[in-house]
Amino acid sequence: MAADPAHEQQATVLPLRDRATDDVSRIPPNDPEAEQAVVGALMLAPETIAEVGAVMDPADHYRPAHETIHRAILDLHAQALPVDPITLGHHLEQVGDLHRVGGRAYLHTLVQAVPAPAHAAYYAEIVHDLARRRRRIELGTRIVQAGMAPDATDEDLQQALALGVETLPGIWPDPIPLNHQPTLPPFPTHVLPAWLRDFVGAVAEETQTPPDLAGVLALAVLATAAGGRVVVQLRGRWREPTNLFVVVALPPGNRKSAVFAAMTAPLRAAEKLLVSQAAGRIAEAEVTAKMAREAADRAAAQAAKAEGTERDALTAEAIALAQAAESMEIPASPRLLADDSTPEVVTTLMSEQGGRLSVMSAEGGIFDIIAGRYSGTPNMEVFLKGHAGDWLRVDRRSRAENIESPALTMGLAVQPDVLEDIGKNRGFDGRGLLARFLYALPESLVGYRKAEPDPVPEQVAQRYERMVTALTLSLAEWTDPAVLRLTPEADAALAAYDRRIEPQLRARGGRLGHITKWASKLIGATARIAGLLHLGQHLETGYTQPISGDTMNAAVALGEYFTAHALTVFDLMGADTTLARARALLVALEDNGWESVTRRDLFAKLSRSEFPSVADLEPAVALLEEHGWLRSQTPPRSGKRGRPPAPRYLIHPKLREHRA
């Protein structure tokens, strides 16, 4: 066995005995060799980290040094860094723990102590089982000590029991329902530019709605003003446009229309102003085109009457005039917003507006239109390419529409039922439309609203309208997009966020593994948000200076907000296969009325369409364990070699009560 380092300095729990005076037989059960094999295997074979993590927690180690090393390995792995002894030793030295865990020599000793790295999960099961036994022993000791105390009360005994009720055989806490939704974070209004933050807060107060509603729509307003005219330069040829797809869901009665009208009012005003400014140019172009057509018609009539060489000359002149008249384009009336529009109309509007358009609606009818309400055939091409900025070309009988760099923004306020319905449309998910939206699912304030809230201060409203109008008009005439670059600090902040997110995308064990289509676009969406926040902070000079680190950190905070909400929204839409399988597994357990069952017997009772292999069973079992419906129990080994005995699953008594 490898030498064990001194570890008394960083013990995380009080021991139940004095090692100097206790008999050796009273040392709590532990296996130093198994603990060393676990952390050594993690260094040798990082691919076993997820497998070990499914079996044990770093706190299961008896030796604090092993727990510290285990946690350091997980920290490095989460940053996509190597976990070899050299890198690990450097990391532990930086955080001040290297000496406490035994130094660099002990790290190399741990690697040498591993019999077989592929058996890491088996070593982890030994460590976990012994940790569970120690906790039960500790709980029993606490209960005895509480009961023997002369001044102990019933409440003291109940507290002692509550501290370890989950570890006592035969005692089950109430399970957490599988449909339980975690508390979602509120919209981080503090990251918005001051003028926007003030208006969002004031509108939320006046309408007595969650700030999420106005905050999410505020991002759509910024994207409408800037979309198609500004891009964010990341690295190499990777550029992100600044248009967004956002949707916020609230039940009926939450005054979505009132908030929607307040947030989009400056866009409508800016659109009217643009129309007014363009009216003269449009009228002039129409008159010029009309005169050119009339001149071509007169020339054609004269050519028809002429003869000989004169006819040829007049004909050539008529053709030239006709071509000139045909080439004249009449500018379309400026348009920023669309609502209840078919994909074909959206495509035409985008073509007329140089690729820029925003679909803003306080209802979810646009999803029905995309699904084919009017045509009977789903048509989402313009929405997919309009979000990504991919070249879009549509050939029609009457005309061809060619959009080089489309930039479509969508800002929707819908009812939660709409999200459930669109989740059932596999075409939306299969083509990736749902993955392009940023979702918000705030908690309704209905029933808790003030009867006489404070109105939006006039100066706050005027400033908001002035800022949005100024940003919209300043970019309206741009043809080539402005390019926003990152400061080194912003680049580092985005790269750190990318490193943190990437491991979460893994299909096995990744927090975002079941929504990779959405989560794989998260870094790009964060960059887009950073660009919009930057423009909001620097209305007149934004395109002349790079995005700062603080602005990128603000965008990351919004990325974290949208991630938490997306997890719940995709659950609502049925995207989490692990949750769906856990629910099916719960039904099977209830139907059979078992007190306990082996993994083999359980797998035999399940449908192969839902559980093709035992590997598909494990995540569902883990989820039921987290919610308190199951407990894994591994029978004791007969020896330390060979495969461990197959685990059994203890089942919560409530499932048998339901059956009875």
Side-chain angles (χ1 to χ4, degrees), residues 460-478:
V460 171
Q462 290 177 354
R463 188 182 183 199
Y464 172 71
E465 181 171 359
R466 185 171 64 253
M467 294 295 195
V468 172
T469 303
L471 180 61
T472 305
L473 297 180
S474 67
L475 296 171
E477 300 301 324
W478 284 63

Side-chain angles (χ1 to χ4, degrees), residues 78-352:
Q79 300 175 48
L81 296 175
V83 294
D84 58 84
I86 295 175
T87 307
L88 183 60
H90 178 70
H91 172 75
L92 289 169
E93 186 175 34
Q94 285 186 319
V95 298
D97 286 336
L98 182 60
H99 175 70
R100 296 179 182 180
V101 302
R104 298 180 190 273
Y106 187 62
L107 298 181
H108 290 280
T109 302
L110 291 174
V111 170
Q112 297 169 3
V114 183
H119 295 169
Y122 304 145
Y123 311 143
E125 288 183 6
I126 298 174
V127 175
H128 176 67
D129 290 344
L130 292 174
R132 185 162 50 190
R133 288 180 60 191
R134 290 196 302 273
R135 291 173 187 130
R136 290 173 176 175
I137 292 170
E138 182 179 357
L139 173 63
T141 302
R142 285 175 178 170
I143 294 173
V144 170
Q145 291 173 345
M148 295 294 291
D151 57 346
T153 64
D154 288 342
E155 184 178 352
D156 294 333
L157 290 174
Q158 289 174 359
Q159 288 180 349
L161 282 169
L163 286 173
V165 67
E166 294 187 5
T167 64
L168 266 182
I171 297 180
W172 291 80
D174 288 336
I176 303 172
L178 283 180
N179 59 358
H180 172 75
Q181 292 185 356
T183 301
L184 294 175
F187 187 87
T189 53
H190 65 278
V191 305
L192 299 175
W195 61 270
L196 191 54
R197 177 176 65 243
D198 292 345
F199 188 70
V200 165
V203 168
E205 165 64 21
E206 180 180 271
T207 58
Q208 287 296 285
T209 54
D212 311 56
L213 180 55
V216 170
L217 292 177
L219 293 177
V221 168
L222 288 177
T224 301
R229 302 298 186 267
V230 180
V231 297
V232 179
Q233 174 70 47
L234 298 181
R235 52 182 176 268
R237 298 185 179 181
W238 183 9
R239 290 182 173 184
E240 286 289 342
T242 49
N243 54 301
L244 291 177
F245 283 14
V246 299
V247 58
V248 57
L250 276 168
N254 272 275
R255 301 166 180 164
K256 294 189 292 292
S257 296
V259 176
F260 191 88
M263 298 306 300
T264 59
L267 291 177
R268 295 194 298 273
E271 184 178 87
K272 289 181 180 179
L273 189 55
L274 288 171
V275 170
S276 175
Q277 292 175 349
R281 296 195 307 271
I282 294 173
E284 181 180 349
E286 288 176 341
V287 171
T288 302
K290 181 180 179 182
M291 292 172 61
R293 287 193 299 271
E294 291 175 350
D297 291 341
R298 287 194 299 269
Q302 290 176 358
K305 298 176 183 178
E307 295 181 358
T309 57
E310 184 182 7
R311 179 186 181 94
D312 294 338
L314 290 174
T315 299
E317 182 182 356
I319 292 173
L321 289 172
Q323 290 175 340
E326 187 65 26
S327 65
M328 289 184 179
E329 291 188 4
I330 301 174
S333 181
R335 191 76 181 268
L336 296 176
L337 302 171
D339 185 356
D340 187 13
S341 304
T342 65
E344 293 76 16
V345 171
V346 169
T347 303
T348 298
L349 288 174
M350 289 179 66
S351 178
E352 293 174 348

Side-chain angles (χ1 to χ4, degrees), residues 272-428:
K272 289 181 180 179
L273 189 55
L274 288 171
V275 170
S276 175
Q277 292 175 349
R281 296 195 307 271
I282 294 173
E284 181 180 349
E286 288 176 341
V287 171
T288 302
K290 181 180 179 182
M291 292 172 61
R293 287 193 299 271
E294 291 175 350
D297 291 341
R298 287 194 299 269
Q302 290 176 358
K305 298 176 183 178
E307 295 181 358
T309 57
E310 184 182 7
R311 179 186 181 94
D312 294 338
L314 290 174
T315 299
E317 182 182 356
I319 292 173
L321 289 172
Q323 290 175 340
E326 187 65 26
S327 65
M328 289 184 179
E329 291 188 4
I330 301 174
S333 181
R335 191 76 181 268
L336 296 176
L337 302 171
D339 185 356
D340 187 13
S341 304
T342 65
E344 293 76 16
V345 171
V346 169
T347 303
T348 298
L349 288 174
M350 289 179 66
S351 178
E352 293 174 348
Q353 302 302 319
R356 179 171 84 164
L357 189 70
S358 182
V359 176
M360 303 280 283
S361 176
E363 302 293 339
I366 187 65
F367 290 114
D368 291 334
I369 296 173
I370 297 172
R373 176 199 289 174
Y374 301 125
S375 63
T377 304
N379 183 354
M380 60 189 77
E381 199 72 17
V382 65
F383 298 97
L384 299 177
K385 293 186 174 181
H387 178 274
D390 296 335
W391 177 52
L392 176 62
R393 182 171 185 173
V394 180
D395 292 315
R396 308 184 189 282
R397 291 182 179 179
S398 58
R399 60 183 296 185
E401 293 169 330
N402 185 47
I403 308 175
E404 296 251 348
S405 300
L408 178 65
T409 287
M410 296 185 73
L412 309 176
V414 304
Q415 297 180 19
D417 290 349
V418 172
L419 297 181
E420 292 188 53
D421 291 341
I422 64 175
K424 298 173 185 176
N425 189 321
R426 294 306 170 195
F428 286 172

Side-chain angles (χ1 to χ4, degrees), residues 493-541:
L494 188 62
Y497 188 40
D498 195 1
R499 288 194 297 270
R500 197 159 75 243
I501 291 297
E502 188 64 25
Q504 300 180 35
L505 305 182
R506 294 170 184 162
R508 285 187 174 276
R511 172 178 172 244
L512 307 174
H514 61 291
I515 57 170
T516 51
K517 290 180 183 178
W518 182 90
S520 62
K521 301 181 186 299
L522 179 57
I523 300 303
T526 302
R528 295 185 183 202
I529 292 172
L532 294 174
L533 296 180
H534 175 78
L535 291 172
Q537 291 164 345
H538 309 283
L539 287 174
E540 297 180 355
T541 60

